[in-house]
Amino acid sequence: FPSINWLLGGHAGVGRGAKQKRFSWTTFTSFAEDSLLNYMNEKSPAKVTPTLFDIKNLTACFYDDASIQPTESLPIELARGCQFRCKFCSYPLVGKKNDTYIRDEHHIYDEFIYNYERFGTTRYAIMDDTVNENTKKVERLANIAQRLPFKLEWIGYNRLDIIGTNKHTVDLLKDSGLKSSYFGIESFHPDASTTLGKGWNGKYGKDFLLELREHWGKSVSITCSFIAGLPYEPESSLDETQ
């Protein structure tokens, strides 16, 4: 079938295209909604208005043939992109204007309800670059969680410094259903953490982690990651962190 055009999906990178003797293939990777729509726009007649993907109005759903079980954790997006510009980050959609790339609250609620009624789903992995990037977003999630007919549970990446400087979100995160939080601490060394733009962690991170542990208890598990080999951080500091 020499006329078949194969469409392949992937995880990271950019869209690629190639042709072989018998057929052509195109791969869509990374944020495929954008690359796939760009491809379709290129193939469409010139008079067709280009289709654009808008995360704010995303209405995602899983289908019955996915064989989803009630105990599974499903992925969900509350937003796409990040307002921060961490110096080591290679993600493409960073430095976005605050609150311009977050999904409509009604769409998020409807997705939770759809999955619950369809599959019995109550657990999620929130795929956002930073779930707690601003307090309004956390407040929205907590509000949604309180309105749901089930107890929402989720895991995701959060920034410790934002919780530390907005301490009312400690309870909001717990009330929203947080069960496990991943913190990119990077370093407890004051100078090394400052070079990354995370100087708060170097000054207050250790003490606040203990405070958070005491407040959340065993209801929320915590995972922290660090970068070894940063400027200004001696090996003795890494040993102390370990």
Side-chain angles (χ1 to χ4, degrees), residues 92-105:
L93 303 178
V94 297
K96 284 184 166 286
K97 188 176 179 180
N98 186 20
D99 215 22
T100 61
Y101 52 97
I102 297 176
R103 286 179 68 190
D104 184 281
E105 185 174 330

Side-chain angles (χ1 to χ4, degrees), residues 36-47:
L36 177 59
L37 287 174
N38 287 336
Y39 174 83
M40 294 172 67
N41 289 333
E42 291 173 2
K43 295 294 183 180
S44 299
K47 294 182 180 180

